[in-house]
Amino acid sequence: MPQSAGENSPTLRPDTAPNQDERPWLAAARRHGAAFADKPYWDPGIPALVVRRWPDLTACLVALFFFWLSLTPSLVPRPWYFQGVIGGITAAIGYGIGATLSGLFRLTFSRRPSQEMRARSWLALYVITPPLVILLLSQSADMQRELRRLQELPPTLTWHSLMITLIALGVAALLVVIARTIRLGTRQLTRLLHRFVPWPVAVALALSLTSIVVVFGTRDVVFERGVLSIADRVAAAKDRSTDEGVLRPFSPLLSGSPDSLVSWEDLGNKGRSFTGGALSGDEIARFNGRPAQTPIRVYVGRAAYDDYAQGARLAVRELERTGAFDRSVLAISGTTGTGWINPTTVEALEFMNSGDTAVVTMQYSYLPSWASFVVDREEAGNATRALVDAVHERWSREPADTRPKLVVSGESMGVQAVEASFDGIEDLLDRTDGALLIGPPDGSPIHGALTEDRDPGSPVWRPVYRDGEHVRFAQFPESDLSIGDATWAEPRVVYLQNASDPVVWWTPHLMFQRPEWLRQPLGPDVTGAIDWFPLVTFWQTTVDMAVSYGAPAPHGHRYGSNPVDAWEAVIPPPDWAPQDTRRLKTLLELRHPPRSGWAGKPE
């Protein structure tokens, strides 16, 4: 029997049935809209697709949640482009967790959501995501403004919400594609191995081989032969250069001069800046209003010696040549990775003692601190210990009543290097007349022990050790160095550490362990909106280290002129008044203004 016309034609939904009076383009839009509503995702129906597979809905929801976590504040304000990177990394981590949970669910339960439920879920995600992201970014901007207020930054803040979103999407998509490519490679390798071994063995072998390739390939090829190799070449070229305005000194009291045992070329970039920018006795005298000496600065560059013992002996010979053991103060300074020494710390000591000082240091690397932390961490301690031992041995041969006060100092990686030169706080107190240690990184052995054994009730960001008898911690020295009626005995050790300094608090443990510095009460410049989230806080603090120079002192990793107050406490200079401290702090802030920008550590 013949079928009637239209009997086998597709059935149209009432709301999409054609209207004779409707314009063609509008009808087409209605048809496409209805098709999208029925299936708002791409499903090619090819299970073998891995890289080009449509995103998992559960994974997208978890990624969105992790992106929200990334918008929470951390220790220092961060610019929008770093926020985009953090958002992308954390969203990718969330996507991976969500995809894993979704995969486990599919393996455990055979029931799947209907196509209608899946379509409605995707439509709901499309509808709620844009306004939700806008709301989250708006709240994040408010929290960043509050953090800027706490850290004395200007209230204005450009928070490029669209750019943050685009950067986060790009970074997250790139990481997901990389992960899927690795997964596809593992699948192909499994099939290849299955030709020779049973399937379970093939899976285990493929996973093991892929893990080895990824881990060692990333570490050896990408990081060591790539990132570190480039950093080494750049740093080596920088070390051979001389900063603009730095000239070779001709005073015999300075390393690199014609009379020096260390040539100008062997000082390295930071060594040349250290001795080429030294103060003169006349400069100090004009400030103090009384006669002053030209300070002694001894610097042994890495190119000047073959091993640490040889470099330490060379440093002692330079000290003897310059007459350093006849000065009132002899300071051993630890350097950062590149050999940098904070000029504010050195000049504060020289001004306060009318130039009757000698400062000695030895470069152990020319790599930036982050690279030295990876490859030269133990070398920093070995080099500085050799220097401390050699100088201390020579110093101890001087008559006890006439030899100079022996002090040690360091900042950032320099703290870790100095602390590794002693067997503990008692050894440091026994062998020196005081110490100034600034921005100690996590892992500094003595700092870690002092913090762990602090007096009950004192916060980790301002610990009190044995009632402050010999050791005290400060962010605002004028008030923090006073602990009630406690007696401050000599020798004295001062730690300058800001509650918001990510260098002090960064550790891999942040990935899975809530840190003590997030316990109440929080530090004076840490926002109450901060919180700890697994993995997320680690990445936030990692990026914080890169931007820790964006806040003014004493916030982030900037300490400004606070070394003046610290030195005044460690070795009080004679005939020094409070107004002298204020004048000197102002002068040093003018001489060494902070660099502009978010990164730009002076090394």
Side-chain angles (χ1 to χ4, degrees):
M1 180 176 178
Q3 294 177 335
S4 59
E7 185 175 344
N8 292 328
S9 60
T11 303
L12 297 177
R13 289 169 47 180
D15 56 346
T16 61
N19 187 336
Q20 300 298 327
D21 298 329
E22 192 173 38
R23 295 180 181 274
W25 64 268
L26 184 57
R30 286 167 57 85
R31 287 196 304 273
H32 289 302
F36 178 78
D38 288 337
K39 193 175 181 181
Y41 51 87
W42 179 61
D43 188 1
I46 306 175
L49 288 182
V50 174
V51 178
R52 292 175 293 159
R53 179 178 298 174
W54 188 256
D56 183 86
L57 178 60
T58 302
C60 287
L61 291 173
V62 178
L64 182 60
F65 174 70
F66 268 62
F67 176 70
W68 167 68
L69 295 181
S70 76
L71 295 174
T72 57
S74 50
L75 287 169
V76 293
R78 52 184 179 263
W80 56 270
Y81 41 88
F82 277 116
Q83 178 57 62
V85 173
I86 294 176
I89 292 174
T90 52
I93 293 172
Y95 187 92
I97 294 174
T100 302
L101 294 176
S102 182
L104 291 175
F105 179 86
R106 288 193 296 269
L107 288 174
T108 306
F109 302 98
S110 58
R111 186 176 179 179
R112 300 288 186 271
S114 64
Q115 180 174 331
E116 182 181 4
M117 175 61 70
R118 188 181 178 190
R120 289 182 177 180
S121 299
W122 274 108
L123 287 173
L125 181 66
Y126 295 150
V127 171
I128 66 173
T129 296
L132 180 61
V133 169
I134 292 173
L135 175 63
L136 296 177
L137 287 168
S138 175
Q139 292 178 338
S140 176
D142 291 340
M143 290 185 286
Q144 290 289 318
R145 292 187 184 99
E146 170 63 15
L147 185 56
R148 290 175 68 86
R149 184 190 65 79
L150 288 172
Q151 299 188 7
E152 304 173 273
L153 284 163
T156 57
L157 174 64
T158 303
W159 200 240
H160 299 271
S161 300
L162 177 60
M163 294 304 299
I164 291 174
T165 305
L166 293 176
I167 293 174
L169 281 173
V171 171
L174 176 62
L175 294 175
V176 170
V177 168
I178 292 174
R180 286 187 170 187
T181 302
I182 294 172
R183 181 182 174 187
L184 177 61
T186 305
R187 175 181 290 187
Q188 298 298 334
L189 181 60
T190 302
R191 290 174 178 172
L192 177 63
L193 292 173
H194 184 44
R195 298 178 182 178
F196 310 99
V197 296
W199 180 257
V201 177
V203 171
L205 286 175
L207 289 174
S208 300
L209 290 173
T210 302
S211 300
I212 291 173
V213 170
V214 170
V215 172
F216 287 94
T218 302
R219 188 191 68 182
D220 296 346
V221 178
V222 176
F223 189 69
E224 292 186 0
R225 298 184 185 180
V227 176
L228 284 182
S229 178
I230 293 173
D232 180 77
R233 289 196 295 269
V234 172
K238 175 66 175 177
D239 193 58
R240 292 190 295 269
S241 69
T242 302
D243 290 344
E244 185 178 356
V246 175
L247 301 176
R248 183 185 184 186
F250 285 88
S251 169
L253 302 177
L254 302 171
S255 292
S257 67
D259 299 297
S260 175
L261 301 176
V262 183
S263 69
W264 177 247
E265 292 75 19
D266 287 345
L267 287 180
N269 177 272
K270 300 308 176 186
R272 287 189 283 273
S273 295
F274 178 65
T275 63
L279 294 169
S280 68
D282 291 340
E283 289 178 281
I284 298 174
R286 285 195 297 270
F287 175 81
N288 289 348
R290 56 179 179 271
Q293 302 182 57
T294 296
I296 295 171
R297 292 190 181 184
V298 170
Y299 193 102
V300 178
R302 186 64 187 89
Y305 62 90
D306 295 324
D307 58 68
Y308 299 139
Q310 180 188 7
R313 290 193 298 269
L314 179 57
V316 170
R317 289 166 54 203
E318 270 285 89
L319 290 173
E320 292 174 332
R321 181 191 65 78
T322 57
F325 294 101
D326 297 326
R327 294 298 176 101
S328 296
V329 178
L330 172 57
I332 305 173
S333 181
T335 72
T336 62
T338 58
W340 176 78
I341 298 178
N342 191 337
T344 299
T345 304
V346 175
E347 290 180 6
L349 184 68
E350 294 169 341
F351 272 111
M352 298 175 79
N353 291 276
S354 295
D356 193 11
T357 60
V359 179
V360 58
T361 191
M362 186 169 77
Q363 181 187 23
Y364 62 87
S365 173
Y366 51 73
L367 291 172
S369 286
W370 66 267
S372 293
F373 183 83
V374 175
V375 300
D376 289 333
R377 193 172 184 178
E378 292 185 2
E379 299 306 305
N382 294 336
T384 308
R385 177 180 279 273
L387 177 65
V388 169
D389 289 346
V391 173
H392 182 270
E393 191 279 328
R394 175 61 182 82
W395 168 84
S396 63
R397 286 193 265 131
E398 294 290 318
D401 56 343
T402 59
R403 65 192 180 197
K405 290 183 177 180
L406 181 63
V407 295
V408 294
S409 68
E411 181 169 339
S412 196
M413 276 286 291
V415 175
Q416 198 159 330
V418 167
E419 289 194 353
S421 305
F422 299 92
D423 295 330
I425 186 61
E426 298 301 332
D427 185 36
L428 190 153
L429 294 173
D430 288 342
R431 298 173 63 195
T432 71
D433 294 300
L436 171 55
L437 304 169
I438 304 172
D442 182 84
S444 301
I446 297 177
H447 176 266
L450 296 175
T451 303
E452 182 70 22
D453 298 335
R454 68 187 184 276
D455 295 349
S458 61
V460 69
W461 44 268
R462 194 75 69 249
V464 177
Y465 180 75
R466 295 183 181 178
D467 294 323
E469 180 183 5
H470 287 285
V471 183
R472 299 193 179 182
F473 298 77
Q475 178 172 352
F476 305 97
E478 290 185 2
S479 57
D480 292 340
L481 292 179
S482 300
I483 306 178
D485 298 326
T487 301
W488 199 354
E490 295 182 349
R492 298 173 177 178
V493 177
V494 170
Y495 281 92
L496 293 178
Q497 66 175 41
N498 299 334
S500 58
D501 187 350
V503 174
V504 177
W505 309 123
W506 183 91
T507 169
H509 297 305
L510 285 172
M511 286 191 282
F512 303 109
Q513 182 178 337
R514 184 182 183 88
E516 288 189 275
W517 48 268
L518 279 177
R519 294 179 182 176
Q520 296 293 336
L522 297 174
D525 55 348
V526 178
T527 175
I530 194 172
D531 206 344
W532 175 78
F533 304 101
L535 300 175
V536 177
T537 302
F538 169 79
W539 284 112
Q540 288 179 324
T541 309
T542 301
V543 172
D544 282 347
M545 290 197 294
V547 300
S548 60
Y549 281 84
H555 308 287
H557 198 51
R558 286 201 186 277
Y559 292 87
S561 58
N562 277 350
V564 176
D565 302 273
W567 279 129
E568 182 183 7
V570 173
I571 45 172
D575 303 323
W576 190 262
Q579 58 267 28
D580 295 325
T581 297
R582 291 191 292 270
R583 289 175 55 240
L584 181 54
K585 292 182 72 171
T586 300
L587 173 65
L588 294 180
E589 288 168 359
L590 292 173
R591 282 178 59 85
H592 306 289
R595 293 189 179 188
S596 60
W598 286 92
K601 183 174 180 178
E603 58 177 22

